[in-house]
């Protein structure tokens, strides 16, 4: 009786795409041979429009461009014209803040160290009282 049920199970599995094998390497091979379902791709222009208008999300490619343009260091300049040399704790900052309508576009982004990013936020929004 067990053999009959096992045979029925194997037959039903073969109709669904083949018998289930308990060997992980064979299962991996079977999985890789299965047809893959792909989600529809959003055209790149549409994707950038969605990201720049609806959220503060910054695509990795844009972050990389900002990093390259700003030479991997803070872009803050003091009133005397001296540029901050910090290369650690860098953050991608919106020049016009997102909260005030700024978009996640290359022209509106810059690298700031965490200290100067916090300083600029305090100038714009006031001191945070936590």
């Amino acid at each position: 009786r067990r053999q009959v049920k096992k045979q029925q199970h194997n037959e039903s599995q073969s109709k669904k795409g083949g018998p289930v094998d308990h060997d992980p390497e064979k299962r991996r091979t079977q999985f890789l041979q299965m047809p893959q379902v792909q989600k529809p791709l959003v055209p790149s222009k549409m994707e950038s429009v969605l990201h720049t208008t609806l959220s503060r999300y910054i695509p990795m490619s844009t972050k990389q461009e900002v990093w390259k343009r700003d030479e991997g260091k803070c872009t803050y300049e003091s009133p005397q014209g001296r540029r901050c040399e910090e290369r650690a704790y860098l953050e991608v900052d919106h020049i016009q803040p997102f909260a005030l309508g700024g978009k996640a576009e290359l022209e509106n982004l810059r690298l700031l160290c965490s200290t100067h990013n916090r300083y600029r936020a305090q100038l714009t929004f006031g001191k945070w009282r936590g």
Side-chain angles (χ1 to χ4, degrees):
R1 190 169 208 177
R2 280 186 181 170
Q3 287 179 338
V4 170
K5 286 200 176 229
K6 188 174 182 179
Q7 185 177 1
Q8 287 173 342
H9 175 73
N10 286 341
E11 286 173 5
S12 72
Q13 291 300 317
S14 65
K15 290 177 186 173
K16 293 179 186 176
V20 176
D21 202 314
H22 297 289
D23 179 25
E25 191 57 38
K26 286 184 181 177
R27 282 198 318 247
R28 181 179 175 281
T29 304
Q30 288 174 345
F31 174 76
L32 293 174
Q33 292 171 348
M34 291 171 56
Q36 299 297 314
V37 178
Q38 293 182 348
K39 60 183 178 180
L41 297 174
V42 177
S44 60
K45 284 187 180 181
M46 180 61 138
E47 182 182 52
S48 67
V49 167
L50 289 173
H51 290 313
T52 58
T53 58
L54 301 177
S55 75
R56 65 177 64 229
Y57 172 78
I58 303 168
M60 183 57 71
S61 59
T62 304
K63 289 180 185 180
Q64 290 170 340
E65 288 180 53
V66 171
W67 191 275
K68 186 176 181 180
R69 181 196 65 204
D70 296 345
E71 300 172 344
K73 59 184 175 182
C74 180
T75 59
Y76 177 81
E77 284 192 25
S78 71
Q80 295 79 22
R82 185 162 180 239
R83 182 174 172 179
C84 176
E85 295 292 321
E86 185 64 61
R87 291 183 174 273
Y89 309 106
L90 297 177
E91 302 169 354
V92 177
D93 173 58
H94 291 80
I95 296 168
Q96 179 182 1
F98 179 79
L100 301 177
K103 297 181 180 175
E105 297 173 334
L106 185 60
E107 301 78 31
N108 189 46
L109 299 171
R110 64 182 170 198
L111 281 181
L112 288 179
C113 64
S114 60
T115 301
H116 285 124
N117 195 7
R118 203 167 38 254
Y119 172 70
R120 295 294 301 165
Q122 287 177 0
L123 289 179
T124 305
F125 299 107
K127 191 165 185 169
W128 181 71
R129 295 177 202 143

